[in-house]
Amino acid sequence: ARWLGEQAESDIEIFAFSMLEERLEGVEAVTKDDQLMVFVHDACRAAVVEHLAECDTELGGLLIGRIYGNADKNGSGVRIRAVEICKAVRSEDYETTHISLAMDASVWTLARSSLDEGEVIVGWYHSHPDLGAFFSGTDQRTQRTVFPHAYSVALVSDPVREEEKWFETGDSIEIDPER
C-alpha cells in the first residue's frame, strides 16, 4: 500500500503510562511487546475487520488513538510504552487491485476531523486478501516515510485466511504477540 499524500507533523500529547490502566475496560490487548504494547478497542477492531472483508481487493485506512509513556531513566525524555487504538477511519478515495492499494490524501482530512481531545493518528491498516499477512517492500517504505514515530503502528490483515500481523515504528518491526 502507498499514499497519494503525506501526513503533516503536529504536536502530540503523551499520557502517563499509569493512566492506561483506567481505560482498559472494553479494550483487547492484541499485541504485547517489550518495547511497545498495543491495545485495540473492540468496536474499532470490529470496524476494521468488517471494512477489510467488504471485497477481494486491498482496502485500508488510518488508526486513531492515544499514546502512553513515562519518563526515561535519566529524565531527559519520554519512553513510549503503549498505544491505545480507539478508532479506524477508512479510506474513501483510493485505487485498488488484488495486490495494490493507493489511498488518497483525503483520508487524512477525514481522520483529523474525527480526532477527540488527546487523540492522534497512530498508524494505518490495510488488507492483503488471500496473500497472507505480511509487510511488503512498499508497505515498509510507507511505514518508514509516513509513520516513522516510536508510537507508529500498522496492521496488515488477510480477511480470507483470517491472518493478521502488527508492525511498529518506522523500522517496520513485527510485533510478536507471544512476547
Side-chain angles (χ1 to χ4, degrees), residues 1-8 40 44-45 47-48 51-52 59-65 83-94 101 103-115 119-127 142-143 146-147 152-155 166:
R2 62 187 173 86
W3 294 95
L4 301 177
E6 293 185 23
Q7 176 182 19
V40 181
C44 177
R45 173 177 280 290
V48 168
H51 177 214
L52 298 181
L59 296 172
L62 295 174
L63 299 169
I64 293 174
V83 174
E84 173 192 13
I85 301 172
C86 308
K87 301 175 200 163
V89 177
R90 63 173 56 205
S91 180
E92 300 286 343
D93 297 314
Y94 53 85
L101 172 66
M103 292 184 264
D104 187 79
S106 62
V107 71
W108 293 98
T109 303
L110 287 171
R112 286 185 189 107
S113 70
S114 67
L115 293 174
E119 292 179 341
V120 295
I121 299 168
V122 295
W124 62 302
Y125 70 93
H126 73 286
S127 61
T142 298
Q143 187 75 4
V146 184
F147 300 98
S152 296
V153 295
L155 167 64
W166 288 85

Side-chain angles (χ1 to χ4, degrees), residues 134-163:
F134 66 96
F135 231 29
S136 70
T138 301
D139 297 339
Q140 291 175 27
R141 280 189 300 281
T142 298
Q143 187 75 4
R144 185 174 50 252
T145 59
V146 184
F147 300 98
H149 313 292
Y151 60 84
S152 296
V153 295
L155 167 64
V156 179
S157 174
D158 181 335
V160 177
R161 298 181 188 183
E162 298 181 349
E163 297 174 0

Side-chain angles (χ1 to χ4, degrees), residues 21-122:
E21 199 169 283
E22 300 169 15
R23 298 185 49 85
L24 288 182
E25 186 175 332
V27 178
E28 179 185 357
V30 293
T31 57
K32 287 191 176 183
D33 182 88
D34 293 337
Q35 299 301 310
L36 185 69
M37 290 180 275
V38 179
F39 300 91
V40 181
H41 283 248
D42 294 341
C44 177
R45 173 177 280 290
V48 168
V49 168
E50 181 180 320
H51 177 214
L52 298 181
E54 287 179 0
C55 67
D56 62 356
T57 59
E58 289 195 17
L59 296 172
L62 295 174
L63 299 169
I64 293 174
R66 290 183 171 83
I67 304 162
Y68 296 87
N70 51 14
D72 62 14
K73 291 181 181 172
N74 62 15
S76 64
V78 175
R79 178 175 171 235
I80 304 301
R81 299 279 312 278
V83 174
E84 173 192 13
I85 301 172
C86 308
K87 301 175 200 163
V89 177
R90 63 173 56 205
S91 180
E92 300 286 343
D93 297 314
Y94 53 85
E95 297 173 16
T96 184
T97 70
H98 294 288
I99 59 169
S100 69
L101 172 66
M103 292 184 264
D104 187 79
S106 62
V107 71
W108 293 98
T109 303
L110 287 171
R112 286 185 189 107
S113 70
S114 67
L115 293 174
D116 289 327
E117 186 175 338
E119 292 179 341
V120 295
I121 299 168
V122 295

